[in-house]
């Protein structure tokens, strides 16, 4: 059984079928309204492309990576401090206390899940929290009596930390259900125990559910092929589902909704009927207006799919810029390109998408093919999608500053 009681969900976005059978959709939308759409005041760091993806050990200056627990050069223990947005080095005393190395600053302690699932995030020593900001949002985990579930849980949490990294960088609110029962976030990682009772991946009033089988690479690839998807990743799931949450927080019942409907369609269209129609008769012309076939199923799904790609774009450009990426031939006859990260203060990102992200994503795909791997970004961004991405950017820009557009 799963740890902690799970709650029923009224809708699903992605369905996990049983291995050996064709996945199918059983959508029950119901009410997905989360109270409160105006961003509350909270401590924010305005994202302006700080090159934190190029992480270094604060003790010896060696390059380290987002998931590292130890520095391979100086053997210092590593921990990511989300409030400082940097990786820090520590030494551990005989009393198991953590002393910060390198630059001075606040004292931290490791997340209580460090040993359990490899979480390398830290919490301030002066707080009462035993868990880090990301782990505090996990409400349900699978039974750890099964050895394989340890790996699945660790993979899910690692993907969630990458999600939270970007959300924090963007200055978006990430409250948990314990601190904010109405507007907070909660994640349930569930194992399907009964073949007749599917665990559906989806979002409902701030609660995001994922079937832990999605953390099994072979299972997830089987589903991707069965559903004819060009890409299916754990991080993609998290980015899609969090899009539904932020639609509730940033768009619903705000003046944004008028422009939203002009770009994505009217979300008041019956969800069940739209999903049934999509799976029975998928639109053949979806590439002309949408980032994916699934985005064409309903305006809510178009928003969530496009939101996920906005986060792909933000993270991808930041990483490329932090490594000093310079493309001498971004196009056969165009000028050289020095990759730069997204600036949240920019009023529009249309030009950035065309001049920065498209060449970078094409380069990544070319490298994938050179190494015999699938394309990391097998998508085509058409003009209507550029307009949708630009709209999401403007919503995020206002949301991170606690603003809503004038009525």
């Amino acid at each position: 059984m799963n740890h902690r009681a799970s709650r029923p969900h009224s809708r699903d976005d992605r369905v996990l079928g049983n291995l050996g059978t064709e996945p199918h959709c059983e959508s029950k939308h119901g009410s997905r309204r989360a109270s409160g759409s105006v961003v509350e005041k909270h401590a924010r760091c305005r994202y302006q492309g700080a090159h934190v993806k190029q992480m270094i050990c604060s003790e010896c200056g060696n390059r380290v990576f987002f998931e590292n627990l130890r520095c391979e050069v100086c053997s210092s223990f590593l921990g990511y401090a989300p409030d400082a947005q940097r990786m820090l080095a520590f030494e551990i005393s005989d009393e198991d206390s953590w002393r910060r190395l390198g630059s001075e600053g606040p004292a931290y302690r490791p997340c209580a899940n460090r040993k359990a699932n490899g979480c390398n995030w830290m919490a301030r020593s002066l707080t009462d929290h035993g868990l880090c900001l990301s782990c505090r949002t996990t409400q349900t985990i699978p039974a750890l009596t099964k050895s394989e579930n340890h790996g699945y849980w660790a993979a899910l949490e690692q993907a969630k930390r990458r999600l939270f990294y970007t959300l924090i960088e963007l200055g978006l609110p990430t409250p948990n259900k314990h601190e904010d029962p109405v507007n907070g976030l909660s994640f349930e990682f569930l194992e399907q125990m009964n073949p007749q009772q599917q665990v559906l991946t989806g979002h409902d009033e701030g609660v995001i559910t994922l079937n832990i089988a999605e953390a099994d690479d072979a299972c997830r690839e089987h589903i991707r092929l069965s559903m004819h998807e060009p890409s299916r990743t754990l991080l993609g799931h998290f980015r899609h589902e969090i899009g539904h949450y932020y639609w509730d927080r940033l768009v619903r019942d705000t003046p944004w909704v008028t422009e939203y409907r002009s770009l994505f369609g009217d979300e008041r269209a019956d969800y069940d009927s739209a999903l049934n129609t999509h799976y029975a008769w998928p639109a053949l012309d979806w590439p002309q207006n949408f980032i994916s076939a699934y985005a064409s199923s309903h305006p809510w799904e178009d928003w969530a799919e496009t939101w996920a790609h906005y986060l792909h774009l933000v993270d991808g450009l930041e990483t490329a810029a932090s490594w000093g990426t310079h493309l001498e031939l971004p196009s056969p006859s165009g000028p050289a390109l020095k990759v730069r990260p997204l600036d949240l203060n920019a009023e529009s990102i249309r030009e950035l998408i065309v001049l920065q992200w498209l060449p970078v994503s094409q380069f990544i795909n070319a490298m994938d093919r050179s190494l015999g791997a699938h394309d990391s970004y097998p998508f085509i961004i058409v003009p209507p999608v550029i307009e949708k991405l630009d709209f999401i950017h403007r919503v995020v820009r206002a949301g991170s500053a606690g603003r809503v557009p004038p009525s």
Side-chain angles (χ1 to χ4, degrees), residues 199-342:
V199 172
L200 307 178
T201 292
H203 166 267
D204 180 28
E205 298 183 3
V207 178
I208 293 175
T209 301
L210 276 88
N211 189 316
I212 65 166
E214 289 285 356
D216 183 319
D217 292 341
C219 177
R220 191 176 61 255
E221 178 65 6
H222 172 87
I223 299 166
R224 185 188 72 80
L225 294 173
S226 298
M227 299 187 75
H228 308 290
E229 296 176 336
S231 177
R232 190 181 185 95
T233 66
L234 276 183
L235 185 55
H237 278 309
F238 279 105
R239 287 174 171 168
H240 174 102
E241 299 305 336
I242 204 71
H244 289 297
Y245 170 76
Y246 283 112
W247 190 92
D248 285 340
R249 299 297 309 280
L250 303 177
V251 177
R252 182 180 62 85
D253 296 336
T254 75
W256 284 120
V257 78
T258 300
E259 186 176 358
Y260 163 81
R261 289 170 181 164
S262 72
L263 291 169
F264 296 85
D266 193 334
E267 81 287 352
R268 293 169 294 187
D270 184 82
Y271 184 82
D272 286 352
S273 176
L275 264 289
N276 289 334
T277 299
H278 168 72
Y279 284 110
W281 304 284
L284 298 180
D285 62 347
W286 67 262
Q288 299 177 23
N289 296 286
F290 302 95
I291 193 65
S292 69
Y294 190 61
S296 69
S297 64
H298 188 274
W300 271 328
E301 301 307 339
D302 191 11
W303 163 272
E305 287 283 272
T306 310
W307 174 279
H309 282 265
Y310 178 74
L311 297 189
H312 290 337
L313 180 155
V314 168
D315 234 21
L317 286 179
E318 184 202 340
T319 299
S322 72
W323 282 76
T325 302
H326 179 97
L327 301 180
E328 192 66 31
L329 294 171
S331 63
S333 59
L337 171 67
K338 179 176 176 55
V339 180
R340 56 185 174 85
L342 178 142

Side-chain angles (χ1 to χ4, degrees), residues 15 29 42 50 109 118 138 155 182 187 236 265 269 279 303 334 336 373 406:
V15 180
H29 179 66
H42 66 297
R109 64 168 176 264
T138 301
V182 176
F187 292 83
Y279 284 110
W303 163 272

